[in-house]
Amino acid sequence: MNVIISNQKRDMLKGLNIEVIKELHGEFDAEQLASSFKNFFFQKMILDITALKNYKDIKTMQKLSLSLDMNKVILVLDENSTTVSPTFMSQLISLGIYNFTTNLDGIMYLYNSPNSYRDVAHLHLINQTVEESKPTNIFSSVSAPKESSNNFDGNARILGIKCAAKQSGATTLTYMMKKTLEQYYSVVAIEVDKSDFRFFNDKNMISTTNGNIAEVISKVKNYDVILIDVNNSNNAISMCGDIIYLLEPSIIKLNKMLLINPDILSEMQNKKLVLNQSLLKDKDISDFEFESNLKVFYNLPPLNERIKSSPELNQLLYKLGFTKIS
């Protein structure tokens, strides 16, 4: 059984599909939590870092780590603070804390496949002081719009694009999103474990592997926006601040999807579902939501990939938090 301790992330953590034996909400001293759970048996603790008083001080995490088995703790970082800076994450690693993220997909990935030091070694800044490290954020969220005169306050916003069913158009949509966004932001796109991007002949569209995705992200961290065609990469999913799931709602695609994975509809609960290349009207969407018990985040019609932008794509990107797009 699991423990959830939440504060600012309470609403997000309600979407976790895990068994919970105890749940606390509010702000707590590290010593208070350590004392409460020191002899309490639990499988995993999902800890919203904002539930800790003075959570921006690494010494708070040090106090907690002295009493709890941090291998059982999944730390949910605050994407709007220094807790997602390279320095803070490196300090977490030095304390033996390897499981941290900012989103539900990252939590579930770490829940099923906990990190070891090897998985986070690339984030460990050996012999580097706080003053030497400039803030960045490989887990920043695009769900909350943040405007800045330059570079989103220095933090790259990482958006994942994933096909809920095979061949739902993630590669082409990533390309079109990049073309639209780069009119307002500096943008780079990455695909994982495929090489389809080469056909676009764009130097800011990079192909890499599941094992190298973290290294690639570290090299492009100064861009405003990083788009990732995640394919089946769990590493890529864990690094995204937000993810949209694409589904082409044709009858043949839906039936093939259900045949391959009968549980896909339940797995898509609480996801940002985008109907891609969709010809459905409002009434059709209502019927689809009722029949599937899913909520559609956005209905995107077929688009001309040769044009730089379209009103429909602009609206999707604005809804995702890219507010420079009018």
Side-chain angles (χ1 to χ4, degrees):
M1 300 293 281
N2 305 287
V3 172
I4 293 179
I5 302 172
S6 64
N7 186 30
Q8 295 178 20
K9 299 283 187 177
R10 185 180 191 179
D11 289 341
M12 183 188 79
L13 295 179
K14 288 179 180 178
L16 283 174
N17 185 24
I18 59 174
E19 293 185 355
V20 178
I21 191 173
K22 190 175 181 67
E23 185 169 359
L24 298 177
H25 176 69
E27 293 186 8
F28 308 91
D29 291 322
E31 296 90 340
Q32 180 182 359
L33 284 183
S35 175
S36 298
F37 292 97
K38 185 176 182 180
N39 298 312
F40 188 91
F41 176 79
F42 57 87
Q43 181 181 352
K44 295 289 184 183
M45 175 186 286
I46 315 300
L47 175 58
D48 173 2
I49 198 170
T50 67
L52 290 170
K53 293 180 180 178
N54 300 318
Y55 68 90
K56 295 179 183 179
D57 187 346
I58 195 63
K59 292 179 181 178
T60 300
M61 294 308 307
Q62 184 181 34
K63 293 175 184 177
L64 202 65
S65 67
L66 292 174
S67 300
L68 297 182
D69 180 359
M70 299 309 291
N71 289 321
K72 292 184 177 182
V73 176
I74 298 175
L75 194 60
V76 186
L77 302 180
D78 175 16
E79 65 268 27
N80 297 314
S81 75
T82 56
T83 64
V84 290
S85 70
T87 297
F88 192 89
M89 289 190 289
S90 180
Q91 290 170 331
L92 289 177
I93 295 167
S94 296
L95 294 174
I97 301 171
Y98 306 144
N99 296 296
F100 44 85
T101 183
T102 64
N103 58 77
L104 284 180
D105 289 303
I107 293 171
M108 290 311 302
Y109 172 68
L110 295 172
Y111 183 87
N112 294 306
S113 304
N115 282 338
S116 65
Y117 176 75
R118 183 175 182 177
D119 297 308
V120 294
H122 61 281
L123 300 174
H124 202 187
L125 308 177
I126 308 299
N127 297 327
Q128 188 165 4
T129 65
V130 173
E131 290 76 20
E132 291 171 331
S133 177
K134 296 181 180 180
T136 188
N137 180 359
I138 69 168
F139 299 112
S140 67
S141 170
V142 302
S143 58
K146 294 193 298 178
E147 282 295 359
S148 169
S149 60
N150 52 56
N151 206 29
F152 289 97
D153 299 329
N155 297 328
R157 300 176 70 180
I158 305 181
L159 174 65
I161 300 95
K162 180 173 175 57
C163 289
K166 287 186 176 181
Q167 298 179 337
S168 293
T171 301
T172 300
L173 182 60
T174 302
Y175 169 66
M176 289 189 289
M177 293 172 75
K178 176 183 176 295
K179 285 204 305 181
T180 299
L181 286 169
E182 65 189 3
Q183 299 174 66
Y184 309 91
Y185 309 99
S186 61
V187 187
V188 64
I190 304 169
E191 67 172 344
V192 187
D193 289 338
K194 285 192 176 181
S195 56
D196 294 332
F197 276 8
R198 69 183 188 277
F199 297 113
F200 293 113
N201 296 315
D202 188 324
K203 66 179 182 179
N204 284 336
M205 299 187 72
I206 303 166
S207 300
T208 188
T209 63
N210 180 64
N212 291 330
I213 180 63
E215 180 181 355
V216 172
I217 288 177
S218 70
K219 291 179 180 178
V220 298
K221 62 189 178 184
N222 291 324
Y223 281 80
D224 294 334
V225 182
I226 301 173
L227 301 175
I228 305 181
D229 182 358
V230 300
N231 290 303
N232 294 315
S233 169
N234 286 326
N235 280 342
I237 288 173
S238 70
M239 294 177 185
C240 294
D242 204 359
I243 301 175
I244 59 173
Y245 291 79
L246 306 183
L247 180 60
E248 186 179 327
S250 65
I251 292 176
I252 188 170
K253 285 288 180 69
L254 290 173
N255 286 339
K256 279 186 175 180
M257 176 185 73
L258 291 171
L259 181 63
I260 294 171
N261 184 1
D263 298 323
I264 185 67
L265 295 182
S266 61
E267 293 173 3
M268 289 301 298
Q269 294 289 331
N270 302 308
K271 308 288 189 184
K272 279 191 172 73
L273 178 62
V274 174
L275 301 183
N276 191 32
Q277 304 178 76
S278 170
L279 297 174
L280 298 187
K281 304 301 181 183
D282 290 345
K283 174 63 168 59
D284 301 320
I285 295 172
S286 297
D287 291 342
F288 173 85
E289 290 182 327
F290 178 78
E291 293 168 1
S292 65
N293 197 30
L294 295 175
K295 180 66 177 177
V296 173
F297 180 75
Y298 194 79
N299 184 48
L300 190 65
L303 301 175
N304 181 356
E305 65 186 73
R306 296 181 181 273
I307 63 176
K308 284 189 174 182
S309 62
S310 67
E312 298 86 355
L313 185 55
N314 287 357
Q315 187 175 350
L316 169 60
L317 292 168
Y318 187 87
K319 190 173 182 181
L320 285 166
F322 296 100
T323 53
K324 285 185 180 179
I325 299 175
S326 56

